[in-house]
Amino acid sequence: RARTSVRAVTAHLLAVACATVCLASSAEAQRTLKSVGRDFEYGIRDILHVWASPLHADRQEWMTFAASAAFVGATLVIDDDVQRAMARHPRSAFMRGLDVFREGHKSGLIDLGSGKRLQPLSGVLYLLGFAFDSRALRDAGMGCASTQQANILVHHGSYAIISRERPLTANGDQYDIELGAGPWREHSFYGGHAGNIMGCVTYWNERFDLGPAEPVLYLVAIGVGLGRVADQRHWLSHTVTGMLGGHAVGRVIGRRARARANGAPDHALGPFGGDLLLSTGRSSGEQTVVVGWRRAF
């Protein structure tokens, strides 16, 4: 029954996403094998651009990063207080509101933060875009997939660098933090579900004009993240980290995709301000792939 509910929720969300994106779209592109190859090329470019972002960030972006880090530090201090408050008031209005985003609930909404759910959803959106010749749906699928993949390297890299007990097994010790990789119970930093869903939601809202659906999508993303806190899978500070990171990645990739849809040239910044080159073509009758870097002096 639980699996059926999850599938039903996913199907409804997919239908809503398709309808919303199609209504929000103002430009369509004829589907061809070449356009599909270009979509994947753009997806890879977007991922590379995100990974190279520390090398080309400007002063304003570094200030935003510093402010985000300070905010995460502030939530770190109250991590144990938040967990105790949730445990002491399980039937408060706030906690009842989170019920639909928690593990075991028949809605299955918590699964929307999992890559195992988002990647198939992205694939279906892209295939529908190809079938119905919709540039918007193709972008919706490719953008969410690229955002999630750009997140995943940083996410798993954090597990290899920092080990922190999940609230479920930490016995209230919020400062049980060590350097180096650890087992699953120490994979609290940072919230993967929160980062994944926030990244896709932010991408969709940046790429398309979704109107009233925009705040609803953000509320779902926040609910998924807080549901993981309520289930003692992540501390609040780690969920906030995931949300901020996902939002940043989704915003960057969403704006790049929107600019392309409006006719702006695409580029992927590489090390030292150069351009990462990634292109496909044919030479002497054979398919070729060119990968490189260039910078004008």
Side-chain angles (χ1 to χ4, degrees):
R1 183 177 300 177
R3 289 184 178 178
T4 301
S5 298
V6 171
R7 291 173 182 171
V9 169
T10 302
H12 285 117
L13 287 173
L14 183 59
V16 172
C18 289
T20 304
V21 170
C22 284
L23 289 174
S25 172
S26 60
E28 297 295 323
Q30 183 179 5
R31 64 188 186 277
T32 63
L33 291 179
K34 184 177 181 179
S35 66
V36 171
R38 188 179 300 113
D39 289 341
F40 279 87
E41 176 185 336
Y42 287 152
I44 296 173
R45 283 175 177 264
D46 289 340
I47 293 172
L48 294 175
H49 181 85
V50 169
W51 288 346
S53 59
L55 300 174
H56 56 75
D58 58 25
R59 180 180 179 183
Q60 183 61 43
E61 289 167 334
W62 280 114
M63 290 179 64
T64 300
F65 173 80
S68 299
F71 181 67
V72 170
T75 59
L76 175 65
V77 178
I78 63 171
D79 272 339
D80 57 341
D81 297 321
V82 172
Q83 287 295 332
R84 282 195 296 268
M86 286 184 165
R88 290 173 181 172
H89 307 285
R91 301 312 304 163
S92 65
F94 178 76
M95 292 299 288
R96 288 200 303 270
L98 290 180
D99 281 346
V100 295
F101 298 105
R102 301 188 64 177
E103 293 179 355
H105 194 276
K106 62 182 181 180
S107 70
L109 288 174
I110 188 64
D111 293 327
L112 293 176
S114 170
K116 294 180 180 179
R117 183 68 57 183
L118 285 175
Q119 288 299 318
L121 175 63
S122 299
V124 171
L125 284 171
Y126 188 85
L127 290 175
L128 287 174
F130 183 83
F132 293 103
D133 195 12
S134 169
R135 164 73 176 272
L137 284 174
R138 295 205 326 265
D139 277 3
M142 183 59 67
C144 180
S146 298
T147 299
Q148 201 268 336
Q149 289 302 308
N151 266 320
I152 199 169
L153 178 66
V154 181
H155 182 220
H156 286 283
S158 69
Y159 287 161
I161 297 173
I162 299 176
S163 297
R164 188 183 185 192
E165 284 281 345
R166 296 179 185 268
L168 188 64
T169 56
N171 296 318
D173 184 4
Q174 69 186 84
Y175 297 115
D176 187 359
I177 306 173
E178 298 180 355
L179 295 178
W184 177 86
R185 71 174 189 274
E186 297 177 359
H187 289 177
S188 182
F189 181 79
Y190 56 89
H193 278 62
N196 287 337
I197 186 62
M198 182 59 77
C200 284
V201 163
T202 302
Y203 169 83
W204 289 327
N205 285 331
E206 288 289 338
R207 169 62 179 87
F208 307 104
D209 295 318
L210 300 183
E214 180 173 338
V216 174
L217 289 173
Y218 275 126
L219 284 175
V220 170
I222 293 171
V224 170
L226 292 179
R228 297 290 283 174
V229 179
D231 286 331
Q232 301 185 61
R233 301 304 186 189
H234 293 286
W235 299 95
L236 177 64
S237 60
H238 293 172
T239 293
V240 169
T241 302
M243 288 182 181
L244 290 173
H247 178 75
V249 174
R251 187 181 184 189
V252 169
I253 295 180
R255 289 186 173 185
R256 285 168 60 85
R258 186 165 191 155
R260 287 194 296 264
N262 291 333
D266 185 76
H267 68 284
L269 290 179
F272 312 110
D275 291 334
L276 287 169
L277 303 178
L278 177 65
S279 62
T280 59
R282 300 190 69 85
S283 177
S284 301
E286 297 182 357
Q287 188 71 25
T288 62
V289 177
V290 177
V291 180
W293 174 82
R294 71 179 177 187
R295 181 181 180 183
F297 293 94

